[in-house]
Structures are given as structure tokens and as C-alpha cells.
Amino acid sequence: MKTSKETVLKVENLSYTAGGSSILKDISFQINRGEIVGLIGPNGAGKTTLVRILIGDITHYSGSFEVKGMIGYLPQYRTIDRTFPITAYEVARMGLYRYEKRASSFRKKKNIRKKVFHALESCGIGHLASHKIGFLSGGEYQRLLLARALLMDPDLLILDEPEAGVDEMGKSTFFDLLENVQSSKKPVVLMISHDIGLVFKACERIMCLNRTLHCSKPSVEMSVSDLQSVFSNMDILIPSNDHYQEKHTQK
Amino acid sequence: MNLLTDFFQYQFLQYAFVATVFVAILTGLFSSIVVLKRMEFIGEGVAHAVFGGIAAGLFFGLSDMITALATAIVFAFFIALFSSRRLLTENNLIGIFMPVFMSLGVILLSFIDEFVPDILGLLFGNILLISLVDIYILVIVTFLAGLLFLFYRKEILYYCYDEQVARLLNVRVKIIHFLLLVGLAVTIVSAIKIAGTILVTAFLVFPAVVARFYARNFSLMLILSVACNLIAGLSGLLLSTYFDLPPGPVMVLFLFVLFLISYFHSHFLYQAS
């Protein structure tokens, strides 16, 4: 029986050095079942490196981490060639690879089509299944990548800059969708983003990373000084909070 | 018709026909990998690298085909090994290992006194001088490549489309990467004796570029690439035999015509949609 406090991701003393310089230094945190956590930090803070370690893309790190269950991953939008000859259906089906490997009986194989269409439809792009990915808009493509990540049957869902390349309308549809998915399936979400406003809106807890972890707090308790520990010398707007106003008038 | 009677009369024409069909299928299959993984340089790379192997074969008195195949596999192994950490691209490594292998070949050749004309023949190829052994090798390699693409179609697709997520999903990316590079190297070696370096490069790049304009998915891209090679290869063979022209270059020009047609047609298609 899973309790709400069960730890899904536990990272301990994680460090990574490349080319003589320290990219990540002594990072420890944990994410419990049911949480949506945002990871913010400036360019070069090591956010993507941390993700690459978690998904097994980088192996020569020190320290350790443990994931209870499967990882679902939504990569950065710009890392994928949109002219690749592949349909939306095939992209989503990729998420079922582990399941397909285990599935042997005819009935299970038949389920695959059903599962893929269900995921596409729940992401609102069922009608685009037979389309080549190059013909999808930025928002539709992002939802397709979410459908694929969800088909991975994740306990931990990692979203790497899901807002990049998507317009405001696309963003709000995407996060409405994510909330619905959250309530029905309950994977833990770790979201990396440059959009601080968005992280505050979507995440319950926020971690600030700049080579090392500077803070990890519920989003309602975050202060300007917390944010300035990673984004120095910058006016920062925290939505539905008057910190920005205070900071600005002090100047 | 003269051509038809010639075809039944001359064995070399029958061999040329069969070889063209198999080279077209084999290179057509691998061309999608070459284009999607951006390794357009590999045809030239392997073809020149095996020069070292052929020289070693002459030096040690071994069969040139066997040493060429062995060299190609070693070459592919080095490329796969050094690109596996993703610090360097396959094209970077082809550019590094090709001159090394060729230089070793030239040094070995300097120890051989007599001039060896076979090497030129192997690098430039002649489809009208094919032996039955060449055809057997082609048939076996095509059969094995067919099996690779049939049984690992999904894994190959995921590896080409999104290697990072493929690895996360426990697709055996390293094995696929290695098998494809070795398959490509063996393909190039078994085809250059027949087609020559230039035609092999053309057969490995043109069809997938053309197919990519039209293919909605990967399987269709494989089929269209093979079809494109068969059309250009057989038309080229027919025309060159009829007008007594060198077959390889005529096939390259046919491929170029297919490329031009698809390029302008797809431009029109994308504008219309």
C-alpha cells in the first residue's frame, strides 16, 4: 500500500565534474509521492545536466540517486528534429516500448493501439494520430511528447522546459492538461523551467539550482532573497505576491 | 530488341542486372540511416579506409575482399567506440580515421615492389566485371541486412528519432549503433567493387533525401529509398548498355534527376498544403 509520504526520488550528495570544472556540487533532495516540484536556475546552472543524470544519459557522476518505479521524460523541444519522417502515433507508441517488450500475448498487443489512442485523446490530439510530426504546431507537439511520457507509465515524470517553443495559449492548455493527468494518475512531477511565473503557478514546491541547491521550499514560502540566491542582480516578479513591489520601491 | 537478346546472350549483363538490384536494395535500406543520423561522409570514409586493408591483403598475400571486409568492420568498430560517448559525431570520426587507415595502406604498399592495378578497380568499380562470388556476397549481406531491419525496425527507428529517450526506455542503443555501423561498412565494401566509391556514396545519400520529402513514416522511407535506387540503378544500367556509356556515372545522373524532380515537386506540395 502506497502512502502519500512515500519517497519516489531520492538524490544524495550528487556531484558532477566535466572538463575540470564542477557542474553540479553535492546535491541532495527528495520528492515524495503526489508532489509537483519545480526546478529553476539561470542558464548554465546545471538543470539539464541533473536531468541527464536522472535519465541515465550521463553515467560518470559521484553520489547516488534512487527512483522508485519508472521514469517518464519530456525532452526539450529543440532537441528533436521536427522534419523526421514519423507520425504522431509512432512517437506516442514509443512510450510503450517497455510494455511491448513484456507483452507477448495477442491480446496485450491489441491493447497497444487502444492505449496509444487513449493517451493521444486524453492529450487532445487524437485526431492528429496519422499526421507527420512536422505538420503539428508547437503546442500540439508538446502535448504529443507529454502523451509519450505518460505512456511510459511513470512514477516520476520529468519535464524539461515544457514551455519552450509554445505560445501562451498552448502553455495554459498544456498545464491544464497536466493538472488533469496529475489527478488521475498521480506521477511525481519534476519540472525544469526558465519561466518563473509558470513554475510558481504549476508547482507546489520550488528548488533553486545554481551548481548546487540553494533552496527547496513550498512555492508560497519563497521569498525574493531565495530567488536572488540564484538569479543575482535582477528584479524578480513573483506572481500573486507583493515581493516584487517591495523590492522595486526599495531601489 | 537487341538489348533483350544481348541480356540473355551475355552472362556479364545478367550479373550486372542482379548486382544492380541487390546493391540498390542494400544501399537503399542503409541510406535512411545515413541521412537521418547525418553520416553522409561514411560512404567515402569506408571506401577510402579499406584501401589500407587491401594493401595489407596484398602485403600478406590474403584475399583482398576478406581484408577489405575485415578493415571495414574494424573501421566501423572504431567509429562506434569513439562516438558512443557523444563527444564527437560520426562524421568527425570518419574524417579522423579515414586518413589514418589510408596512410597505413600507403605505407604498406610502399613495401610492395610491383604496381597493383586491382586497387584502382576496387576504388572505382565496374559493374560489368562482376564475378559470381561478388554476387553471392551481395546476396548474403542483403539477406542479413534485411533481417536486421525486419527484426529491429522499431529499435532502429527509436535510435534514429530520439536516442536519449530510446536509452531511457532500455532500447539497446549501443548494440543498434554498432550493428548499423558494421552493417553500413560491410554494405559499402560489398558494393564498391561493383559500383565504385562515387556511386556508393550517391546510392547512400540520394534515395533517402528523395524519400524523406514524401515518406510519412520510417517504413515508407525505407521502401521509397529502395524503390528510388532500383529505378535509377536499372534505368542507368539499361541506358548505359544501350548507348555504350559507363554505367555508374549514368546511374548517378539518374539519381540526380530523381532528386531534382522530388525537390521541386515537394516545394510545390508544401506550398499547396
Side-chain angles (χ1 to χ4, degrees):
Chain A
M1 180 80 189
K2 287 166 181 170
T3 62
S4 61
K5 282 289 173 195
E6 186 196 1
T7 301
V8 175
L9 172 65
K10 188 173 188 178
V11 176
E12 280 183 305
N13 310 111
L14 196 72
S15 297
Y16 175 68
T17 308
S21 62
S22 164
I23 309 289
L24 293 174
K25 203 177 161 192
D26 204 21
I27 292 176
S28 299
F29 64 91
Q30 61 181 52
I31 303 179
N32 297 328
R33 195 162 289 279
E35 276 193 298
I36 304 179
V37 179
L39 182 67
I40 56 172
N43 284 331
K47 303 185 296 291
T48 298
T49 305
L50 177 61
V51 170
R52 286 183 62 198
I53 290 173
L54 295 178
I55 63 166
D57 206 31
I58 294 176
T59 48
H60 44 289
Y61 55 85
S62 66
S64 65
F65 72 89
E66 189 189 351
V67 181
K68 282 215 177 95
M70 297 289 186
I71 297 178
Y73 172 56
L74 187 147
Q76 275 181 29
Y77 180 85
R78 59 178 169 271
T79 57
I80 298 176
D81 175 9
R82 289 283 300 276
T83 65
F84 196 97
I86 188 167
T87 60
Y89 176 85
E90 285 177 303
V91 171
R93 184 176 172 164
M94 187 177 175
L96 282 179
Y97 180 77
R98 289 184 291 222
Y99 172 82
E100 277 191 68
K101 272 277 165 193
R102 292 194 305 269
S104 52
S105 70
F106 178 69
R107 185 183 272 181
K108 268 188 182 171
K109 295 249 177 202
K110 227 175 80 180
N111 271 343
I112 287 164
R113 203 177 157 74
K114 220 193 267 176
K115 277 173 183 274
V116 173
F117 270 98
H118 181 259
L120 288 173
E121 271 155 23
S122 66
C123 289
I125 47 166
H127 60 293
L128 300 172
S130 61
H131 284 53
K132 199 170 156 177
I133 54 167
F135 293 111
L136 269 56
S137 73
E140 288 164 346
Y141 188 60
Q142 206 63 293
R143 279 185 274 159
L144 171 63
L145 293 182
L146 179 67
R148 179 180 71 168
L150 292 173
L151 282 168
M152 294 175 199
D153 195 23
D155 295 274
L156 168 65
L157 181 60
I158 301 174
L159 311 175
D160 196 353
E161 295 186 19
E163 80 285 355
V166 182
D167 62 20
E168 286 305 317
M169 208 178 111
K171 272 186 213 174
S172 68
T173 327
F174 182 86
F175 284 100
D176 286 346
L177 190 69
L178 191 65
E179 261 172 42
N180 288 334
V181 168
Q182 265 296 102
S183 56
S184 61
K185 243 191 158 180
K186 285 281 176 202
V188 160
V189 177
L190 176 63
M191 185 172 102
I192 287 88
S193 178
H194 279 299
D195 191 334
I196 298 176
L198 200 73
V199 173
F200 270 83
K201 199 176 150 208
C203 303
E204 297 151 359
R205 183 153 65 93
I206 293 172
M207 300 194 294
C208 306
L209 181 80
N210 196 359
R211 311 257 160 161
T212 185
L213 214 54
H214 286 270
C215 61
S216 173
K217 286 183 181 176
S219 48
V220 286
E221 289 173 22
M222 286 293 282
S223 67
V224 168
S225 58
D226 286 331
L227 288 179
Q228 284 191 328
S229 63
V230 285
F231 297 99
S232 54
N233 301 321
M234 199 178 117
D235 282 337
I236 295 160
L237 172 69
I238 302 179
S240 61
N241 203 328
D242 58 359
H243 290 301
Y244 176 73
Q245 190 60 34
E246 274 175 30
K247 184 73 194 169
H248 215 67
T249 45
Q250 273 172 18
K251 278 194 170 178
Chain B
M1 197 179 150
N2 254 350
L3 204 63
L4 205 65
T5 48
D6 281 355
F7 180 79
F8 285 108
Q9 198 177 348
Y10 298 113
Q11 199 181 41
F12 76 90
L13 273 182
Q14 293 164 13
Y15 283 0
F17 174 82
V18 175
T20 304
V21 169
F22 280 98
V23 169
I25 295 172
L26 190 57
T27 49
L29 284 176
F30 279 102
S31 73
S32 295
I33 310 298
V34 168
V35 169
L36 292 173
K37 291 301 266 184
R38 300 198 173 96
M39 294 190 274
E40 287 86 349
F41 200 25
I42 198 159
E44 299 275 341
V46 173
H48 286 89
V50 294
F51 182 81
I54 296 158
L58 289 167
F59 186 73
F60 295 111
L62 298 164
S63 147
D64 57 356
M65 196 62 184
I66 287 169
T67 48
L69 280 171
T71 315
I73 291 169
V74 173
F75 182 75
F77 176 76
F78 278 126
I79 307 268
L81 185 73
F82 281 86
S83 59
S84 66
R85 280 183 65 194
R86 281 157 287 127
L87 294 171
L88 296 164
T89 67
E90 284 85 355
N91 263 351
N92 292 157
L93 292 159
I94 294 162
I96 286 169
F97 284 107
M98 183 184 82
V100 172
F101 275 60
M102 273 201 88
S103 302
L104 288 173
V106 172
I107 291 169
L108 279 175
L109 270 190
S110 70
F111 291 108
I112 302 170
D113 295 335
E114 59 201 285
F115 174 68
V116 195
D118 275 311
I119 287 182
L120 281 185
L122 205 89
L123 282 179
F124 293 95
N126 191 342
I127 202 150
L128 302 176
L129 291 177
I130 300 158
S131 68
L132 202 55
V133 178
D134 297 328
I135 290 188
Y136 285 147
I137 292 174
L138 259 181
V139 172
I140 293 167
V141 176
T142 309
F143 177 71
L144 291 176
L147 288 182
L148 176 70
F149 278 86
L150 194 68
F151 287 110
Y152 289 106
R153 190 195 71 84
K154 222 179 286 164
E155 284 80 359
I156 293 171
L157 167 65
Y158 297 161
Y159 157 79
C160 289
Y161 168 64
D162 189 348
E163 200 177 324
Q164 202 180 38
V165 169
R167 198 173 298 114
L168 173 70
L169 295 172
N170 302 332
V171 174
R172 290 180 175 170
V173 171
K174 269 191 183 163
I175 293 178
I176 297 291
H177 181 66
F178 179 72
L179 282 177
L180 286 174
L181 276 173
V182 169
L184 247 170
V186 172
T187 293
I188 292 161
V189 172
S190 50
I192 42 169
K193 194 164 180 188
I194 294 152
T197 317
I198 306 295
L199 184 57
V200 167
T201 301
F203 266 156
L204 281 173
V205 177
F206 278 98
V209 169
V210 171
R212 193 181 183 157
F213 285 132
Y214 299 99
R216 211 176 41 161
N217 60 44
F218 185 60
S219 302
L220 205 58
M221 187 173 180
L222 293 177
I223 294 166
L224 286 178
S225 297
V226 170
C228 177
N229 266 355
L230 282 172
I231 291 168
L234 292 177
S235 312
L237 183 66
L238 194 80
L239 205 76
S240 61
T241 316
Y242 197 72
F243 290 107
D244 198 21
L245 295 165
V250 178
M251 290 177 192
V252 172
L253 293 183
F254 262 103
L255 285 168
F256 185 59
V257 169
L258 285 178
F259 163 73
L260 285 181
I261 293 170
S262 67
Y263 178 78
F264 287 109
H265 181 239
S266 70
H267 187 69
F268 171 75
L269 266 185
Y270 284 96
Q271 266 192 342
S273 67

